[in-house]
Amino acid sequence: MCSCQLRYQRPPGKRPAACSCPAASHRTAATRCVNDRHRPVSRKKPQRSSCRAGGARIEMASVTVRGCALCAVSLLNFAFVFVSGADFIRFVSFRAIYHNITGETSLCQDSIPWSVALRDSLVLRSLVVDVGLLALFTAQHSLLAWSPVKRVLQSVLGALNRTAYCFTTALALQILMRYWQPVTGAPCLWSVRHAPWSVWFPVLCFSLHFLCWAIICSILMIFDYPELMGIKQVYYECLGLGDPLSHKSPRAQRLLSHLRHPVCLELGVVLWLLPTLSLDRLLLAGTLSTYLALAHSLDKQDLAYLCVQLDSKMQLFAEPHRGSVDATTTDESSHKNK
């Protein structure tokens, strides 16, 4: 209590008067200034920081949800494309060879002349349906690979552009295989039915088909299978790295722009090498072979780049063997020195 308050005694029933002491007024003003300065700051700063933290959490959660959705869509598409590829192998290779070996169902009728078969309404209807299915597949495969359509889809779908292309291709293949009409009322173009080739030639076809499909799978792995399926595009999008194609060399980009189908020769063997070639199989093999030939546009620069890449891959495979040989030689020399 200051000296002025000691000197002045308040009468009973009256309010205390304000102290006129300069020290007291100075302390009161300083206290009010400090309180006025600190109260708003202590109230507003936590609110601003909490709002910023909440916005960051919401943004991070939205990015995480978007990335998870993109990954789920790409993985589901990969499963669908993988199943469709397995069904296509069964449809193209093993169905005809299996029926030829077992003889459960007849693929054609050699007793019917061509003049009669080509006037049969069932044969003509089956051929019309098959031609429509092949037109649907080739139209989808070419339209979505057209540059203006690709740019539009890239602007709309973004990282899911390649995923959408693979999905529609697999869907077109499923429709083709589901509604394909075998032509059993026409003669075969060729059929191996005489012993012992009636047994050995289907086995040879089966072995070559298996080898060709193994080569096709190996080539797809070499050509970056996750990128072909659209998985790598989604992965790079989640990491903020952009398009995977932009990280490749100009020669690689040029090759991929020309290389529509990297397995032309193997698919040609699979399509034509059969024990029995029916009329619908002739239509399928001829249409797909023509499409592969028209889409093939590699030149000498692309082939030179492929040879260089193949040599580098072979060197990578040979390096572990060289390392083991060098280690064995070093151990033998050290053993002799001992």
Side-chain angles (χ1 to χ4, degrees):
M1 185 178 294
C2 57
S3 59
C4 62
Q5 291 178 347
L6 290 174
R7 290 194 302 267
Y8 176 75
Q9 297 295 328
R10 176 174 62 89
K14 291 186 179 181
R15 298 178 61 184
C19 181
S20 60
C21 178
S25 62
H26 178 71
R27 286 196 301 271
T28 306
T31 305
R32 289 176 181 175
C33 181
V34 170
N35 292 335
D36 292 341
R37 185 173 67 249
H38 287 286
R39 282 175 185 172
V41 175
S42 62
R43 290 177 183 176
K44 290 183 179 179
K45 276 190 176 180
Q47 290 179 358
R48 291 178 182 176
S49 60
S50 62
C51 292
R52 292 175 182 175
R57 291 194 197 98
I58 293 173
E59 184 179 358
M60 186 179 298
S62 62
V63 171
T64 305
V65 171
R66 181 175 178 272
C68 292
L70 291 175
C71 292
V73 171
S74 62
L75 291 177
L76 290 175
N77 173 74
F78 171 75
F80 179 64
V81 172
F82 184 82
V83 173
S84 300
D87 290 340
F88 184 69
I89 293 174
R90 176 192 58 81
F91 176 78
V92 171
S93 291
F94 301 124
R95 181 175 65 94
I97 298 175
Y98 175 78
H99 285 307
N100 188 273
I101 293 175
T102 58
E104 291 183 357
T105 59
S106 178
L107 298 176
C108 50
Q109 298 290 335
D110 292 334
S111 60
I112 301 176
W114 282 103
S115 59
V116 176
L118 294 178
R119 290 196 299 266
D120 190 355
S121 60
L122 294 176
V123 174
L124 294 178
R125 186 177 64 182
S126 299
L127 290 177
V128 169
V129 172
D130 295 342
V131 169
L133 292 173
L134 288 171
L136 173 65
F137 174 75
T138 54
Q140 175 274 329
H141 217 56
S142 300
L143 182 63
L144 294 186
W146 191 29
S147 298
V149 178
K150 286 177 66 176
R151 287 194 293 268
V152 172
L153 292 178
Q154 183 67 33
S155 62
V156 175
L157 299 176
L160 294 177
N161 183 20
R162 184 67 188 180
T163 301
Y165 179 80
C166 295
F167 175 78
T168 52
T169 301
L171 182 62
L173 276 179
Q174 289 287 351
I175 294 173
L176 185 144
M177 294 182 291
R178 174 65 178 82
Y179 296 103
W180 185 262
Q181 301 294 320
V183 180
T184 59
C188 294
L189 276 80
W190 69 69
S191 181
V192 180
R193 298 179 180 177
H194 299 287
W197 292 107
S198 60
V199 176
W200 289 109
F201 190 70
V203 174
L204 177 64
C205 292
F206 179 85
S207 302
L208 291 177
H209 279 224
F210 184 83
L211 178 62
C212 288
W213 285 117
I215 294 174
I216 289 172
C217 294
S218 302
I219 292 175
L220 291 178
M221 292 297 178
I222 292 174
F223 275 91
D224 203 346
Y225 187 71
E227 185 174 353
L228 292 176
M229 294 294 104
I231 299 176
K232 196 171 184 179
Q233 285 83 344
V234 173
Y235 177 72
Y236 273 46
E237 177 69 18
C238 294
L239 295 180
L241 299 178
D243 188 7
L245 189 61
S246 61
H247 298 273
K248 297 183 182 296
S249 64
R251 296 182 66 184
Q253 295 181 14
R254 185 177 185 274
L255 172 67
L256 294 176
S257 64
H258 292 169
L259 189 65
R260 289 284 306 279
H261 303 90
V263 288
C264 296
L265 179 61
E266 293 79 7
L267 278 178
V269 173
V270 167
L271 289 172
W272 290 100
L273 185 61
L274 287 173
T276 300
L277 188 70
S278 59
L279 185 58
D280 62 294
R281 184 53 182 255
L282 174 66
L283 179 64
L284 177 67
T287 304
L288 294 182
S289 298
T290 304
Y291 183 78
L292 289 173
L294 293 176
H296 185 75
S297 60
L298 295 181
D299 53 13
K300 292 182 179 180
Q301 296 183 14
D302 296 327
L303 293 176
Y305 177 74
L306 281 175
C307 292
V308 171
Q309 294 298 314
L310 182 61
D311 291 339
S312 63
K313 297 289 184 182
M314 297 303 294
Q315 290 177 3
L316 289 176
F317 284 118
E319 280 181 359
H321 179 68
R322 289 179 182 176
S324 61
V325 171
D326 295 340
T328 305
T329 306
T330 304
D331 292 340
E332 290 180 354
S333 60
S334 61
H335 181 71
K336 289 180 181 179
N337 292 331
K338 288 180 181 181

